[in-house]
Amino acid sequence: MSDTVLSTPAFMGAPPRIALVGNPNCGKTALFNALTGARQKVANYPGVTVERKIGEFLSPAGTRVQLVDLPGTYSLRARSPDEEVTRDVVLGRFQHEAPPDVMVCVADATNLRLHLRLVLELKKLGRPIILALNMMDVAEARGCRVDAAALSAALGVPVVPTVAIKRTGVVGLLDQIDRSMIAMTAALPPSPGNAPDITPGTSSCGWSEPSALDLRAYHQEVEAILAAALRDAGRPSLATRRIDAALLHPAIGLPFLFLVLFLMFQAVFAWAAVPMDMIDKGLGWVQAGAGAALPDGLLKSLLTDGIIAGVGSVVIFLPQILVLFFFILMLESTGYMARAAFLLDRLMGGVGLHGRAFIPLLSSFACAVPGIMAARTIENRADRLATIMIAPLMTCSARLPVYTLIIAAFVPDRTVAGGMIGLQGLVMFTLYAAGILSALAAAFVLKRTIFKGAREPLLMELPSYRLPSPRDILLGLLERARIFLARAGTVIFAIMILLWFLGSFPAAPDGATGPAIDHSFAGMLGHALAPLLAPIGFTWQIAIALVPGMAAREVAVAALGTVYALSETGDALSGSLAGVLAADWSLPTALSLLAWFVFAPQCVSTLSVVKRETNSWFWMLVMIVYMTALAYGAAFVTFHLSSVLLGG
Amino acid sequence: MIPPLPGPAHAALPSTATRQTPGPAPGTSSDPPAGDDCCRLGALRKGQRAVVAGLDDSAVATPLPPGELERRMIEMGLIEGARVEILHEGFPGADPLAVRINDHTLALRRAEAHAVLVTLG
Ligand SMILES: Nc1nc2c(ncn2[C@@H]2O[C@H](COP(=O)(O)OP(=O)(O)O)[C@@H](O)[C@H]2O)c(=O)[nH]1
Ligand SMILES: [Mg+2]
């Protein structure tokens, strides 16, 4: 008993914790944003990589409350890693983390029949619950009338109507939170799962997986409750039905989806160009400033060449990532993302993938890291692994600088097909297509060999279309920016310093000719690798550049520049470097390098996120081996084929 | 427009114990027995309405443990007495299906929809 008292943190200093639980798309994140505003942050649950979204707010009575936004789920019988987190938090199975003091169940008022079953399941845990009847504005518009008092009486829990997207829509919920906390203090409720140091995996909360019979019983209970509380079920959303009649139409649906994706990629490149330019200029300015302020020497080199250049080369992708996530957030909160998965299910099924694999693969065009993280929503482990394994084959934005450099150097700037299509653009498109096609081929092979088995069923709700609220989109973008920058500031920062060290030590001996990097550890590594890479046409300079390219692909450009002992940076470097490369490399070498970059697994952050997400070194090694083999093979074929064709 | 509905007799449900070893893989499976066809959700076409009469996933190949598909379907609202209507069909092969279930819409593949027994109406 004393354990229970101690671990009820509400009144012992630590703020009381409230968790938002509910089906997907019922408005949990919107409620979370309405309650906490910008006072929120994302961390990881220890041991698992599912993101843990926590925020804080002051209740009307002045209590500081901690709020957790849990991944949406239809049941505590978790099917995906995301849903497992929800289950484990709710049941208090996480070590060193007591279960929430109060659970706010969020239910879509227009769809109570489906949502109330989870509420009943949660109620059985015997912990304080508040039911937030969200989307009351939509319910009213559709003539759906719910008697909150009757519902509360039938359920035996407090019920508050909410409108998460209106400023005044959460006032009732805030008051109820205060009342529930007061009731809790008064009663100091028996919380069976509250004991600290609960070992994960035990069902210590009196919860056990419901059988099909239990589930049917829950449904009957829901029907009985609705008979008492639902005054009018209202009309189903006609707008959604009409929009779907067009957007899911066999002839219109896919072309429209591809149009959306096309616009998205245009935007990723067009909208991001100006801010990227500004970041580039700003970095150059900082670099020059630091360079001028510091005396020549190691510190200056570490700061300008190592840290500013290295982290800068990653931060520069922030605008592209934000544009991409803007689209992804819009697609998600309008409800179109589920439609995209619906439309692509058959096509993706052709190579054995789940329709939902579309989202991770799409995100991987910006960067494989968020892409691989997005694979969590795929329930089946084999499907998820297959998706993770092929995600890095999608052409991420970090490959762009490399492609741009080599294309500018070797592909003539002229048009084909009667002036309609630029040749350089065509090559770029070919490289993207090669990535996509090889990813599909890899999925096809993987699903027939390692990840064999029938496909996971689809069973996916198609939510009503909704107008996304600007606040939620903005907060979502802010969250992505924070995560991305934090990564650039930690992992990538450390790797950059390591690579700078490898590239700078030992220093070139006095009177040595050639670039200093040639004498460093990186140079030695490059020279050692050179014989291995000779059969695919790589020069020793390329071999050296590939070493720092491990940190992030785009760094290879800067490294090539260093190796060729050029002094300019950034765009100026690309401009003149292209000329040097055109003179120094044969065309087959250039093509071979392009082929290499389509496949090579050479970004450390991607590999580390694969390790985290699969929770195994094995799959990371599998990825390194299979992608390196693909890269080497593709480069080999490209080099020799083009040598023969070009008579070189 | 939507009356609260007590479902038909719940006693006559196929229990999970009747589930047999998984049938042939979805791609290779011939259609379910002809007499059976009319009363499975997977056989309905766009615009058709029906009421769910029961769940029987014994003939559906899934990687899931026995009984799991049935439970997931119940959790997604496919339960005896639910009124369903095929709203949209995917492409190609009129697969997957977008099915209105009472107040919400569910996407599922025809192969799995064959586990849902329905009476037309
Ligand atoms: N009209 C209306 N829309 C809402 C309400 N709550 C959430 N939404 C919208 O519903 C969509 C899904 O909400 P979200 O918070 O992402 O759901 P989650 O999956 O539960 O986190 C978003 O477009 C929200 O803007 C509400 O009370 N009224
Ligand atoms: Mg959410």
Side-chain angles (χ1 to χ4, degrees):
Chain A
M1 190 61 214
S2 64
D3 274 349
T4 314
V5 175
L6 277 177
S7 67
T8 306
F11 321 101
M12 303 282 165
R17 297 190 326 118
I18 295 184
L20 292 168
V21 198
N23 291 9
N25 298 304
C26 62
K28 293 177 300 299
T29 303
L31 267 183
F32 181 83
N33 289 340
L35 290 172
T36 65
R39 279 156 310 186
Q40 45 176 274
K41 63 173 194 240
V42 176
N44 273 335
Y45 287 98
V48 288
T49 51
V50 174
E51 281 168 6
R52 176 178 194 268
K53 221 170 136 166
I54 46 177
E56 270 189 4
F57 66 92
L58 269 186
S59 76
T63 317
R64 203 158 54 92
V65 179
Q66 206 182 58
L67 190 67
V68 187
D69 186 16
L70 290 174
T73 182
Y74 290 98
S75 125
L76 289 183
R77 298 179 328 101
R79 311 186 234 163
S80 65
D82 265 5
E83 296 182 1
E84 277 166 22
V85 164
T86 302
R87 179 198 62 199
D88 291 347
V89 169
V90 163
L91 296 183
R93 285 186 185 176
F94 268 115
Q95 237 158 348
H96 314 302
E97 185 168 309
D101 299 294
V102 178
M103 281 186 283
V104 174
C105 296
V106 189
D108 179 348
T110 63
N111 194 5
L112 283 178
R113 192 165 267 112
L114 191 63
H115 288 230
L116 281 186
R117 215 210 64 258
L118 180 65
V119 180
L120 290 178
E121 210 177 323
L122 290 167
K123 205 190 104 185
K124 263 200 138 175
L125 301 179
R127 244 186 246 116
I129 289 190
I130 301 170
L131 174 61
L133 269 187
N134 197 31
M135 310 252 183
M136 281 310 276
D137 53 334
V138 184
E140 259 159 47
R142 286 200 210 148
C144 160
R145 287 190 301 120
V146 187
D147 183 338
L151 187 59
S152 172
L155 272 172
V157 305
V159 175
V160 235
T162 60
V163 182
I165 54 166
K166 275 212 198 91
R167 200 174 290 276
T168 51
V170 295
V171 175
L173 179 60
L174 281 168
D175 290 340
Q176 182 56 49
I177 286 174
D178 265 335
R179 257 174 274 142
S180 290
M181 285 193 304
I182 291 168
M184 213 170 58
T185 346
L188 267 186
S191 352
N194 239 355
D197 295 328
I198 301 152
T199 33
T202 55
S203 52
S204 45
C205 299
W207 178 83
S208 60
E209 275 209 6
S211 68
L213 233 61
D214 297 334
L215 290 173
R216 286 192 169 91
Y218 278 134
H219 264 284
Q220 282 190 308
E221 205 177 326
V222 168
E223 293 298 348
I225 291 170
L226 286 184
L230 191 63
R231 299 275 171 263
D232 189 338
R235 307 165 294 277
S237 166
L238 253 188
T240 294
R241 198 174 169 149
R242 290 212 180 105
I243 297 172
D244 271 343
L247 296 191
L248 297 184
H249 189 273
I252 306 171
L254 278 175
F256 181 82
L257 174 61
F258 288 124
L259 183 74
V260 170
L261 297 185
F262 177 78
L263 286 179
M264 185 166 120
F265 283 111
Q266 286 296 309
V268 164
F269 293 115
W271 298 359
V274 173
M276 283 174 84
D277 226 38
M278 278 160 49
I279 293 180
D280 196 33
K281 289 223 175 70
L283 278 171
W285 184 78
V286 171
Q287 223 168 0
L294 291 168
D296 275 349
L298 272 185
L299 181 65
K300 173 171 160 180
S301 164
L302 172 64
L303 210 64
T304 56
D305 300 344
I307 295 174
I308 301 179
V311 172
S313 66
V314 180
V315 170
I316 194 144
F317 291 104
L318 183 63
Q320 284 189 337
I321 294 207
L322 288 185
V323 173
L324 186 88
F325 270 105
F326 170 75
F327 274 86
I328 290 180
L329 285 169
M330 288 292 283
L331 294 182
E332 259 171 5
S333 59
T334 51
Y336 186 66
M337 202 58 118
R339 271 77 183 180
F342 176 90
L343 288 167
L344 289 171
D345 190 68
R346 221 18 220 266
L347 293 182
M348 306 278 271
V351 295
L353 286 177
H354 198 281
R356 255 182 229 162
F358 153 78
I359 300 161
L361 295 183
L362 182 70
S363 316
S364 297
F365 279 104
C367 176
V369 172
I372 288 167
M373 285 169 31
R376 285 172 196 155
T377 53
I378 303 173
E379 294 152 13
N380 180 274
R381 181 170 159 84
D383 284 356
R384 194 166 58 247
L385 277 174
T387 308
I388 288 175
M389 294 312 263
I390 64 167
L393 288 174
M394 297 289 152
T395 303
C396 68
S397 53
R399 286 179 177 100
L400 260 187
V402 184
Y403 288 176
T404 314
L405 172 71
I406 300 177
I407 288 177
F410 289 94
V411 179
D413 187 10
R414 57 184 173 84
T415 57
V416 292
M420 293 289 288
I421 302 169
L423 192 58
Q424 294 188 330
L426 189 66
V427 172
M428 188 69 95
F429 177 79
T430 312
L431 292 170
Y432 270 85
I436 297 171
L437 292 178
S438 58
L440 294 181
F444 187 82
V445 173
L446 285 173
K447 286 298 287 184
R448 259 153 206 77
T449 52
I450 315 178
F451 303 123
K452 241 189 290 199
R455 274 207 299 167
E456 184 90 344
L458 184 63
L459 292 180
M460 171 184 67
E461 193 181 353
L462 296 177
S464 299
Y465 286 106
R466 309 218 184 276
L467 227 50
S469 90
R471 179 199 63 197
D472 293 337
I473 301 283
L474 210 70
L475 286 172
L477 282 180
L478 208 65
E479 176 188 313
R480 285 298 128 192
R482 270 194 208 145
I483 293 173
F484 179 77
L485 290 178
R487 216 171 58 81
T490 51
V491 184
I492 296 177
F493 181 79
I495 293 170
M496 285 302 164
I497 291 181
L498 178 71
L499 286 172
W500 168 83
F501 177 79
L502 287 179
S504 309
F505 291 97
D510 284 339
T513 54
I517 194 173
D518 200 9
H519 302 275
S520 66
F521 292 122
M524 294 175 206
L525 211 56
H527 280 295
L529 286 174
L532 271 179
L533 298 175
I536 57 175
F538 286 8
T539 61
W540 64 266
Q541 291 97 329
I542 299 179
I544 293 182
L546 290 183
V547 177
M550 291 287 293
R553 292 178 177 88
E554 66 275 18
V555 178
V557 172
L560 275 174
T562 319
V563 180
Y564 280 97
L566 296 177
S567 53
E568 295 98 334
T569 54
D571 278 352
L573 177 103
S574 288
S576 50
L577 184 58
V580 177
L581 294 186
D584 198 60
W585 295 354
S586 66
L587 183 54
T589 291
L591 294 177
S592 164
L593 188 59
L594 284 178
W596 171 272
F597 267 101
V598 171
F599 299 105
Q602 39 174 257
C603 154
V604 175
S605 357
T606 304
L607 293 174
S608 67
V609 85
V610 169
K611 153 79 182 59
R612 271 200 317 162
E613 293 291 306
T614 60
N615 210 355
S616 102
W617 291 102
F618 175 73
W619 291 114
M620 191 188 95
L621 285 175
V622 169
M623 175 174 281
I624 295 179
V625 170
Y626 109 89
M627 288 186 71
T628 309
L630 267 182
Y632 198 88
F636 188 85
V637 170
T638 308
F639 181 65
H640 289 279
L641 206 64
S642 55
S643 297
V644 170
L645 291 180
L646 297 164
Chain B
M1 185 181 150
I2 301 171
L5 33 93
H10 286 236
L13 304 176
S15 87
T16 50
T18 63
R19 194 191 146 88
Q20 279 126 36
T21 44
T28 60
S29 75
S30 52
D31 286 324
D36 218 19
D37 219 36
C38 65
C39 35
R40 288 185 183 259
L41 181 62
L44 300 192
R45 295 311 305 258
K46 187 172 164 175
Q48 281 190 290
R49 293 164 191 240
V51 175
V52 176
L55 297 176
D56 167 27
D57 60 4
S58 58
V60 177
T62 83
L64 304 178
E68 176 62 18
L69 182 63
E70 182 187 7
R71 287 198 282 179
R72 288 196 190 178
M73 286 184 152
I74 298 173
E75 280 166 359
M76 298 308 295
L78 280 170
I79 185 168
E80 291 76 12
R83 276 157 307 101
V84 292
E85 177 187 355
I86 310 284
L87 291 187
H88 313 282
E89 294 171 335
F91 178 82
D95 195 27
L97 300 170
V99 184
R100 163 135 230 116
I101 305 170
N102 295 326
D103 307 324
H104 68 283
T105 309
L106 183 73
L108 78 171
R109 301 195 191 108
R110 278 195 190 273
E112 283 110 26
H114 271 298
V116 184
L117 306 166
V118 294
T119 48
L120 293 177

